[in-house]
Amino acid sequence: MIASVPPADESAGTEQLRLIRPDDWHLHLRDNELLAAVLPATARCFARAIVMPNLKPPVTTVAAAAAYREWILAALPASSDFQPLMTLYLTEATPVGEIEAAVHSGFVHGIKYYPAGATTNSENGVRDIRRVYPVLAAMEKHGLPLLLHGEVTDPEVDIFDREAVFIERILTPVLADFPGLKVVLEHITTAEAADFVRGHSQRLAATITVHHLLHNRNALFQGGIRPHHYCLPVLKRERHRQALVAAATSGAPEFFLGTDSAPHPRGQKESACGCAGIYSAPAAIELYAEVFAAANALDRLEAFASRNGPRFYGLPENTDHIRLVRRPWTMPESLNLAGDRLVPLRAGESVAWSCLPDPD
């Protein structure tokens, strides 16, 4: 449960919440200079994160995941106890034996399915789901979750219908063919997806991003084309945004926090072929608090942010806490990156809440 705490001296009279330290169940950290630049934004408030494997080259083996994990740990400040939870990138050439190795590794917590061509660095993804059925059978046997980017990429399917068609063509048969497989439908964007997850909640969960909770597709075009609001899956109609807010704030255990924070240098976003991804990490938990406050559901934020994810993944809840204080601050217009800049979600605008360490 969320509990109010006495006001700190520096914020007397402001509303405060004390939360079990949350986790991010869908995060992009990239590598090299970008990794070093963005990692502190997540580690400041989150204890753990499921780290996406779509690097170049992709993280397809346990050995590659171990190396990537070491890069992440080496980039952390010495005082940080943040833990990356690694994933493998599923390809049609993934050997069944890699699944057993992943389970025994102790640090690989899921296998990520990208439809080939669906999003950033997904060209090595799956074209025919049945070609990976032996791998899915091994995952079912060993209890390793399948993490789905839930879109089809057929050019005849409207971009706003890709998620619904994926549920019909791919997800429904997979659930039928592998009744013991644990599945996360990542970054859901539609009312139909939320309803589907509710209907299969014993073995299917969903992450919900803060940008899909805050924005509908109008945000892509307000005052001109807004490339920093372009993501995949793309923002949807207002009725879908409202359905996602209802799902996230419901307290239902099948929904939990996954930012899909995806940093791209400004030069790559503001280009003739701007890449997909929204960088939300610098204010992620604060913006989720805004959503829950607007829905009069702050008492359910802890379940969504701190309890439901660990329960699904079979991990313990964190034992430390954070404070959220209703104290506004202004997000910078952009953030430093060697040779370029990063433009975060809510750039140049006010954020209503602040994340602080818990004094206890």
Side-chain angles (χ1 to χ4, degrees):
M1 294 289 293
I2 295 180
S4 294
V5 298
D9 291 342
E10 71 274 16
S11 55
T14 62
E15 184 177 1
Q16 299 192 44
L17 303 172
R18 185 173 186 258
L19 299 179
I20 295 171
R21 191 173 168 196
D23 302 302
D24 186 347
W25 298 98
H26 186 123
L27 177 67
H28 296 271
L29 288 175
R30 312 306 188 199
D31 53 10
N32 301 320
E33 294 88 355
L34 199 47
L35 166 63
V38 304
L39 179 57
T42 291
R44 70 194 173 90
C45 290
F46 291 97
R48 299 171 293 200
I50 287 280
V51 179
M52 293 296 107
N54 57 332
L55 304 183
K56 286 190 173 182
V59 179
T60 59
T61 67
V62 173
Y68 187 23
R69 181 174 181 271
E70 290 304 314
W71 299 342
I72 296 168
L73 293 174
L76 285 169
S79 60
S80 176
D81 60 355
F82 173 81
Q83 289 296 314
L85 308 177
M86 309 310 294
T87 61
L88 302 187
Y89 186 118
L90 182 62
T91 76
E92 293 179 2
T94 298
V96 169
E98 203 67 34
I99 300 306
E100 186 170 355
V103 171
H104 291 320
S105 74
F107 56 79
V108 174
H109 294 269
I111 307 297
K112 183 60 185 280
Y113 168 97
Y114 288 105
T119 189
T120 303
N121 298 344
S122 63
E123 58 270 16
N124 296 295
V126 175
R127 287 173 170 78
D128 182 350
I129 187 68
R130 292 198 167 268
R131 293 180 182 172
V132 298
Y133 263 33
V135 174
L136 300 188
M139 294 169 60
E140 180 183 40
K141 175 183 176 181
H142 291 287
L144 192 61
L146 174 66
L147 316 181
L148 296 171
H149 181 111
E151 294 187 288
V152 299
T153 57
D154 299 9
E156 69 270 18
V157 176
D158 188 282
I159 191 170
F160 293 104
D161 298 329
R162 286 180 175 182
E163 186 173 82
V165 174
F166 178 89
I167 291 171
E168 176 187 354
R169 292 184 185 175
I170 306 295
L171 181 54
T172 298
V174 164
L175 293 177
D177 293 340
F178 300 96
L181 182 64
K182 294 180 72 173
V183 179
V184 180
L185 186 56
E186 302 278 15
H187 43 48
I188 62 171
T189 63
T190 61
E192 291 77 12
D195 288 343
F196 187 86
V197 171
R198 287 190 190 94
H200 298 79
S201 58
Q202 293 305 308
R203 31 128 14 155
L204 176 64
T207 56
I208 306 179
T209 77
V210 73
H211 51 272
H212 286 109
L213 292 172
L214 286 168
H215 296 297
N216 62 35
R217 63 188 190 178
N218 287 341
L220 287 163
F221 307 106
Q222 290 171 340
I225 293 177
R226 301 287 297 275
H228 297 285
H229 285 159
Y230 171 52
C231 58
L232 289 171
V234 71
L235 299 170
K236 301 297 195 299
R237 291 181 181 272
E238 174 62 11
R239 74 174 183 90
H240 296 298
R241 188 196 70 81
Q242 292 179 7
L244 296 181
V245 170
T249 61
S250 68
E254 59 267 29
F255 301 110
F256 44 83
L257 184 157
T259 65
D260 193 19
S261 180
H264 294 280
R266 183 168 60 186
Q268 293 181 17
K269 291 288 289 180
E270 299 174 5
S271 67
C273 188
C275 50
I278 292 176
Y279 181 47
S280 59
I285 192 63
E286 295 92 335
L287 293 175
Y288 279 111
E290 286 190 15
V291 172
F292 277 69
N296 295 314
L298 280 171
D299 60 322
R300 296 174 182 169
L301 177 58
E302 187 172 66
F304 178 78
S306 310
R307 294 188 181 276
N308 296 347
R311 182 182 299 119
F312 182 86
Y313 276 91
L315 295 172
E317 294 176 2
N318 298 309
T319 56
D320 52 344
H321 295 76
I322 62 168
R323 280 188 305 154
L324 289 170
V325 180
R326 193 186 287 273
R327 179 197 301 162
W329 56 281
T330 301
M331 178 69 70
E333 292 279 358
S334 64
L335 305 169
N336 284 323
L337 178 66
D340 210 323
R341 305 285 293 179
L342 285 172
V343 178
L345 184 63
R346 198 63 71 83
E349 300 176 9
S350 179
V351 178
W353 292 80
S354 299
C355 176
L356 301 175
D358 186 69
D360 297 333

